[in-house]
Amino acid sequence: MANPKGEESAKERLRRIIRRDATFLVLGAIAASIMGWMEVNAGNAEYRGEGAAATVDVQRGVIDTGYIATKPLHDFLKAHRRWNDAFAFVNTIIGVFGPGIYFVYMTLWVGDYE
């Protein structure tokens, strides 16, 4: 006779694995579509805006799409220093303390291994 509690545990584990993989695939698809859009529209003058000539490498004709895509945000943060500081704080919390908090959570609360 099968153990219903053990079987439920296996089903829950399978659901968790499928959810994790599906999340990864969706986020990867979103990132790939954003990068694809930037590559397809790299030469579109409509997205360059003012001063776009400075973003073209004269020798190779390469357009700096990263600069073009982030210029409005850069201009906003340059004009609003408090927002710049707030975003820098969030970046520090997520990028520096986030992995450490996750490490401590996984080690002390969940356990090293399942």
Side-chain angles (χ1 to χ4, degrees), residues 77-98:
L77 293 176
K78 188 175 179 183
H80 301 90
R81 298 301 293 177
R82 290 199 185 261
W83 277 106
N84 187 27
D85 293 341
F87 286 137
F89 176 74
V90 170
N91 185 48
T92 301
I93 294 297
I94 292 171
V96 175
F97 298 117

Side-chain angles (χ1 to χ4, degrees), residues 23-96:
T23 301
F24 174 77
L25 288 174
V26 168
L27 292 176
I30 291 169
S33 65
I34 289 170
M35 288 184 285
W37 179 88
M38 290 186 74
E39 289 297 323
V40 168
N41 294 297
N44 191 342
E46 178 182 321
Y47 295 115
R48 289 188 222 159
E50 187 179 342
T55 65
V56 178
D57 183 341
V58 179
Q59 294 176 355
R60 293 178 290 221
V62 177
I63 299 170
D64 186 357
T65 56
Y67 174 79
I68 294 167
T70 59
K71 186 172 180 352
L73 180 61
H74 170 75
D75 292 340
F76 173 79
L77 293 176
K78 188 175 179 183
H80 301 90
R81 298 301 293 177
R82 290 199 185 261
W83 277 106
N84 187 27
D85 293 341
F87 286 137
F89 176 74
V90 170
N91 185 48
T92 301
I93 294 297
I94 292 171
V96 175

